[in-house]
Amino acid sequence: QVYLVQSGGGLVQAGGSLRLSCAAHGATYGIATMAWYRQVPGKQRELVAAQTSDGGTNYADSVKGRFTISGDNAKNSVYLEMNNLKPEDTAVYYCNAAKSRPGGTLDYWGQGTQVTVSS
């Protein structure tokens, strides 16, 4: 079992910055990807940014150039630096860790943290 503990988030004005942190505990071996997702009420959870174990990254088009995902393998942690925040970035943000398994992946989720951007 992998346990993900998130921190950061909160309320910020448009144009401001926030940093989210996520630390993985437990059976962290074999984690292939760590990522950040977000969800607003009534909508599906969407991928914001992901980082693979070899350092590759990908971002949602809506956050490219504003958000940066980074990781600390020694601490089994992943971070999301969010700059130039917009009201449409308001959501609950979830940390995700994925392990590859035959036929698919095994996903673990953090507890979620609210990010609110005021206009």
Side-chain angles (χ1 to χ4, degrees):
Q1 181 73 351
V2 176
Y3 303 92
L4 301 176
V5 179
Q6 299 179 216
S7 60
L11 174 64
V12 67
Q13 288 189 331
S17 299
L18 285 173
R19 187 176 194 244
L20 304 181
S21 300
C22 174
H25 304 275
T28 59
Y29 58 87
I31 292 177
T33 304
M34 293 193 76
W36 291 96
Y37 287 73
R38 66 187 181 188
Q39 188 171 24
V40 297
K43 291 190 176 182
Q44 284 191 329
R45 194 170 294 186
E46 63 172 2
L47 176 68
V48 176
Q51 184 173 50
T52 59
S53 56
D54 62 0
T57 59
N58 68 287
Y59 296 90
D61 288 343
S62 59
V63 306
K64 283 180 181 177
R66 300 188 298 120
F67 290 13
T68 302
I69 188 170
S70 61
D72 184 335
N73 289 337
K75 296 182 179 180
N76 290 314
S77 296
V78 67
Y79 311 97
L80 186 68
E81 189 74 34
M82 303 183 291
N83 298 314
N84 190 22
L85 282 159
K86 303 176 180 180
E88 51 264 41
D89 294 318
T90 296
V92 178
Y93 284 70
Y94 295 91
C95 178
N96 167 271
K99 292 187 177 183
S100 295
R101 288 292 183 268
T105 61
L106 189 59
D107 287 293
Y108 300 92
W109 296 94
Q111 78 274 23
T113 187
Q114 179 70 46
V115 171
T116 302
V117 185
S118 63
S119 57

